[in-house]
Amino acid sequence: MNGFLPISKKDMLERGWDEVDFIYVTGDSYVDHPSFGAAIITRVLEDEGYRVAVLSQPNWRGTADFTQFGKPRLGFFVTSGNIDSMVAHYTAAKRKRHDDAYTAGGVAGKRPDRAVIVYSNIIKSIYPDSPVIIGGLEASLRRFAHYDYWDDEVKPSILVESRADLLSFGMGENQTREIAKRLDNGESISSMRDILGTCYLCPTAETTYEGAECPSYENVKTNKKEYAKSCRIQQDEQDHIRGRVIKQKHGRQMLVQNKPMPPLTTQELDHVYSLPYMRAYHPSYEKLGGVPGIAEVEFSITHNRGCFGACNFCSIAFHQGRFITTRSKESIVEEAKKLIQMPNFKGYIHDVGGPTANFRQPSCTMQLEKGLCKGKKCLAPKPCPNLVSDHAEYLDILRAVRNLNGVKKVFIRSGIRYDYLLKDKDDTFFRELVENHVSGQLKVAPEHCSAAVLDKMGKPHIEAYVEFSKRYFKYTGEINKEQYLVPYLMSSHPGSTLDDAIELALFLKKRHIRPEQVQDFYPTPGTISTCMFYTELDPYTMEPVYVAKTEHDKAMQRALLQYYNPKNQRLVEEALKRAKRYDLIGFDSKCLVKPTDSRKSTQNNRQKNNAHKSNKKFRGKR
């Protein structure tokens, strides 16, 4: 018997158990590491004294895997895994992925599409009276009626289609504890309508009077303006201090989202990360080559949760919330010491970060009592005057970790907000970041350069990136290091026209930036940007938004960002002609591409010359 939780009936019996209290069903291979939600929730349940079995990637084409442990005493927890199952399976172009980082051996196809719905329905068909609680990213982001990019339609709350009893949204530890305790005390799952951070369905006649009501599922499915209104209400109320109950009618039922669960305190977060994780994938996967997804996080430390950056295309604000909560320095150092003792540790801690690495405190003091501002962002389009930027505590933690015996280097890979960094009047952290915490290249995310597009993204204007890059290379030069800055860029985000893509191409050309990869906008559930993609409206202004929706339009924008690649010649030329930017097609240094005809002519002339030379050589030999 090893230190992992049981994954089979054999494991259960070896522990001397004749039944389990909970079965945790996940679409991922079982990795007992605190970067994996399944590991945290199962260890939290174990810490509360419950017997927990992990049913990892069950065969959904039959029922045998779902019945191997027997009926659990208290119920099932169900998740698709660390990411949405549709994102795991399909690219932004809706093409099937060939691998899966969260599956042993990287093999694709080990979970179904819409895994939460499939798993939950199977369980309900076998054990109709057993409580089923769904959670994780897939359930959390689909808790309301939502646009589904893959089917190109608005779907009802995942609670409706899964037939689950309760949905836990957000990070879930305290919801899980309360649900488990009340089930253990004999309370019916159907009566649990007051747990923060959960959603439930009830007959419309039993709906609570409090809170805000969204347009119904039927309305948002047929009216895009109603969908946009619904999106804004849902986004605005995701605050544990000032947020309200949200309701949305689905036929004769009402979906009710209770107020968000307050984030864990520092003491609670420290305790969660002190639980006895094996910090590895289950040994049964060794013969398959292990689980690729652990490689990036195996020697990483999470020090915070939440993100007040709240980019419109990111799901973190809707899932974790914007409020920052952090672990103590002592807890982080203790975890670093555990990493040092691991047999395959080479001296490098890959990250001390989180959703945004350099957020270590609330963006301002007012939110501690009033919550985060409704309909506003702390950093975009410009930093709020009330913003407090201070990296002293984070820097102290990094120094403590990098000075531990056995640690050669501590990197920061989870991303920093450079606009927040620039607001810190003390540049000590910036300088030490450059000197000690960059692994040859620092990745940051300006995403675009057009102010109009950046406003739709909820990102700072490009001037912040330009200023950051100047100082980054200045500090790098002062310590005589060769380090690079790698910008993440996104094409075809709602609001981005061909003119905007051309503007970005010219920005990149001027600064000699040649991105190797460009990310197409991916309309995942639960984000403001996805709302704009579907409705072609900005939910905060109700003004029309241009959206590149056809594959060809997206391909042109993507090609412009890599205008220098010969494979993109025709697409770039077509895009420039469509935008009437003939001035950028030619031989001048300011041009993005040369005319196709001229390239053909040059190629033909070369072929003729080569043929002529070959003939001369042949005649000479003859």
Side-chain angles (χ1 to χ4, degrees):
M1 187 168 68
N2 53 50
F4 289 85
L5 296 173
I7 64 168
S8 65
K9 185 174 182 178
K10 178 176 176 289
D11 289 350
M12 180 183 79
L13 295 175
E14 283 180 354
R15 288 194 170 214
W17 299 352
D18 55 1
E19 68 173 354
V20 294
D21 298 317
F22 291 103
I23 298 174
Y24 189 95
V25 184
T26 174
D28 288 344
S29 290
Y30 176 30
V31 180
D32 191 28
H33 187 284
S35 290
F36 289 70
I40 287 180
I41 297 301
T42 52
R43 289 297 184 184
V44 163
L45 284 167
E46 179 191 47
D47 188 53
E48 293 292 316
Y50 299 106
R51 296 177 174 183
V52 185
V54 177
L55 180 54
S56 173
Q57 297 186 324
N59 181 359
W60 70 94
R61 297 178 179 91
T63 60
D65 283 354
F66 293 87
T67 59
Q68 63 177 298
F69 297 105
K71 183 180 178 181
R73 184 174 70 90
L74 296 175
F76 290 85
F77 286 90
V78 177
T79 178
S80 70
N82 259 20
I83 62 174
D84 188 285
S85 59
M86 300 303 284
V87 176
H89 287 171
Y90 301 95
T91 68
K94 299 184 182 179
R95 297 189 182 95
K96 270 272 192 181
R97 298 190 193 273
H98 301 297
D99 51 21
D100 186 337
Y102 295 102
T103 295
V107 178
K110 291 294 185 179
R111 79 187 91 207
D113 285 356
R114 312 183 197 288
V116 169
I117 293 173
V118 174
Y119 294 155
S120 182
N121 273 283
I122 292 172
I123 294 165
K124 278 298 183 185
S125 67
I126 303 169
Y127 305 114
D129 59 339
S130 187
V132 174
I133 302 97
I134 58 176
L137 200 66
E138 182 166 303
S140 186
L141 300 184
R142 296 171 181 266
R143 57 192 186 265
F144 296 101
H146 57 280
Y147 172 69
D148 184 277
Y149 171 63
W150 303 273
D151 282 353
D152 191 25
E153 68 172 336
V154 175
K155 291 186 176 291
S157 165
I158 195 170
L159 257 180
V160 174
E161 294 193 308
S162 68
R163 296 193 294 150
D165 298 287
L166 207 59
L167 184 156
S168 173
F169 66 91
M171 301 307 283
E173 292 97 340
N174 284 343
Q175 296 95 303
T176 299
R177 288 190 181 97
E178 187 168 351
I179 292 165
K181 181 179 179 180
R182 288 165 68 164
L183 286 171
D184 199 20
N185 288 338
E187 186 175 340
S188 169
I189 190 78
S190 61
S191 68
M192 296 183 196
R193 296 181 177 179
D194 60 337
I195 299 175
L196 299 178
T198 64
C199 300
Y200 62 90
L201 287 167
C202 67
T204 52
E206 299 175 15
T207 305
T208 178
Y209 290 107
E210 66 173 315
E213 186 165 349
C214 292
S216 69
Y217 161 61
E218 291 75 17
N219 281 358
V220 301
K221 187 176 177 66
T222 57
N223 187 310
K224 291 185 176 181
K225 285 188 176 180
E226 292 290 278
Y227 188 101
K229 291 177 186 176
S230 179
C231 172
R232 178 168 181 170
I233 292 170
Q234 293 158 17
Q235 295 287 337
D236 282 350
E237 300 303 331
Q238 297 309 314
D239 187 273
H240 70 281
I241 294 175
R242 56 157 184 77
R244 295 178 291 170
V245 169
I246 308 176
K247 300 167 285 188
Q248 187 177 50
K249 191 177 178 184
H250 284 64
R252 296 182 179 180
Q253 290 183 300
M254 186 69 79
L255 170 76
V256 181
Q257 178 196 274
N258 288 323
K259 296 178 182 181
M261 178 68 75
L264 300 188
T265 64
T266 294
Q267 292 73 25
E268 289 173 327
L269 207 53
D270 285 354
H271 180 69
V272 165
Y273 281 88
S274 72
L275 296 176
Y277 305 100
M278 298 302 294
R279 310 192 71 87
Y281 51 76
H282 194 275
S284 62
Y285 305 136
E286 195 66 50
K287 59 188 176 185
L288 301 173
V291 181
I294 197 174
E296 189 65 25
V297 297
E298 184 176 10
F299 300 112
S300 296
I301 300 172
T302 300
H303 80 92
N304 66 4
R305 284 185 180 177
C307 182
F308 56 73
C311 300
N312 288 342
F313 52 80
C314 180
S315 61
I316 291 172
F318 197 55
H319 180 61
Q320 289 194 22
R322 294 193 289 158
F323 192 88
I324 303 298
T325 184
T326 57
R327 294 168 62 188
S328 69
K329 175 183 174 181
E330 293 74 21
S331 171
I332 295 163
V333 170
E334 191 60 34
E335 184 171 355
K337 290 178 180 177
K338 290 178 183 177
L339 298 184
I340 294 169
Q341 298 305 314
M342 292 174 66
N344 53 342
F345 181 69
K346 306 297 183 185
Y348 299 97
I349 292 178
H350 297 159
D351 193 19
V352 178
T356 296
N358 58 324
F359 287 173
R360 185 66 198 168
Q361 59 190 18
S363 54
C364 73
T365 55
M366 289 185 291
Q367 67 189 242
L368 297 173
E369 292 184 7
K370 299 181 179 178
L372 284 109
C373 298
K374 183 186 291 190
K376 295 181 180 179
K377 295 187 182 295
C378 301
L379 288 166
K382 294 181 179 180
C384 173
N386 296 318
L387 181 75
V388 178
S389 179
D390 185 349
H391 292 79
E393 186 179 347
Y394 185 38
L395 182 57
D396 180 52
I397 290 168
L398 291 171
R399 286 171 174 169
V401 174
R402 74 183 190 227
N403 287 327
L404 290 172
N405 288 332
V407 173
K408 297 177 182 176
K409 198 84 172 179
V410 177
F411 300 119
I412 297 175
R413 291 185 178 175
S414 55
I416 60 167
R417 280 297 292 247
Y418 53 81
D419 47 344
Y420 178 73
L421 175 56
L422 291 173
K423 296 302 292 182
D424 192 340
K425 294 177 181 178
D426 184 349
D427 69 351
T428 305
F429 170 74
F430 199 164
R431 288 181 177 276
E432 293 199 24
L433 167 71
V434 170
E435 185 172 359
N436 298 300
H437 302 291
V438 176
S439 57
Q441 57 185 28
L442 180 66
K443 296 178 181 179
V444 292
E447 304 293 0
H448 216 283
C449 73
S450 163
V453 179
L454 290 166
D455 285 345
K456 296 305 178 193
M457 291 179 166
K459 296 284 290 184
H461 288 184
I462 196 62
E463 289 78 14
Y465 171 76
V466 172
E467 173 61 23
F468 174 80
S469 63
K470 285 179 181 176
R471 289 176 59 181
Y472 175 81
F473 288 116
K474 176 179 180 288
Y475 296 156
T476 297
E478 288 175 0
I479 58 173
N480 199 28
K481 275 191 174 184
E482 186 176 352
Q483 295 183 151
Y484 303 94
L485 196 59
V486 179
Y488 283 128
L489 300 168
M490 185 184 297
S491 62
S492 306
H493 185 276
S496 178
T497 64
L498 269 182
D499 287 335
D500 293 313
I502 292 168
E503 182 183 344
L504 180 52
L506 292 171
F507 175 87
L508 298 173
K509 181 179 175 67
K510 181 179 179 181
R511 286 160 179 79
H512 309 290
I513 299 171
R514 292 193 166 191
E516 293 182 9
Q517 291 183 324
V518 175
Q519 174 64 52
D520 272 356
F521 169 66
Y522 202 158
T524 52
T527 72
I528 296 170
S529 295
T530 296
C531 172
M532 287 191 277
F533 176 87
Y534 170 62
T535 65
E536 299 179 45
L537 296 169
D538 184 327
Y540 282 86
T541 65
M542 300 307 286
E543 294 176 353
V545 176
Y546 171 79
V547 179
K549 287 195 173 181
T550 70
E551 280 304 306
H552 192 66
D553 286 345
K554 292 178 183 178
M556 284 193 292
Q557 292 207 26
R558 184 171 58 250
L560 280 163
L561 274 57
Q562 296 176 311
Y563 64 89
Y564 51 85
N565 189 331
K567 294 179 181 179
N568 293 331
Q569 158 74 22
R570 290 187 177 278
L571 278 172
V572 173
E573 189 171 352
E574 180 187 347
L576 293 172
K577 287 178 178 178
R578 185 179 292 190
K580 296 182 169 50
R581 292 302 305 270
Y582 299 99
D583 58 308
L584 299 176
I585 306 170
F587 301 93
D588 191 277
S589 60
K590 70 173 184 177
C591 295
L592 293 176
V593 291
K594 296 175 182 178
T596 305
D597 292 342
S598 72
R599 290 194 175 192
K600 278 185 179 178
S601 176
T602 303
Q603 200 171 18
N604 288 337
N605 287 335
R606 283 178 181 165
Q607 288 173 350
K608 288 178 183 177
N609 288 335
N610 289 336
H612 179 65
K613 289 176 183 176
S614 297
N615 287 335
K616 280 181 72 176
K617 287 180 181 178
F618 181 72
R619 285 197 299 271
K621 288 178 181 177
R622 190 174 177 184

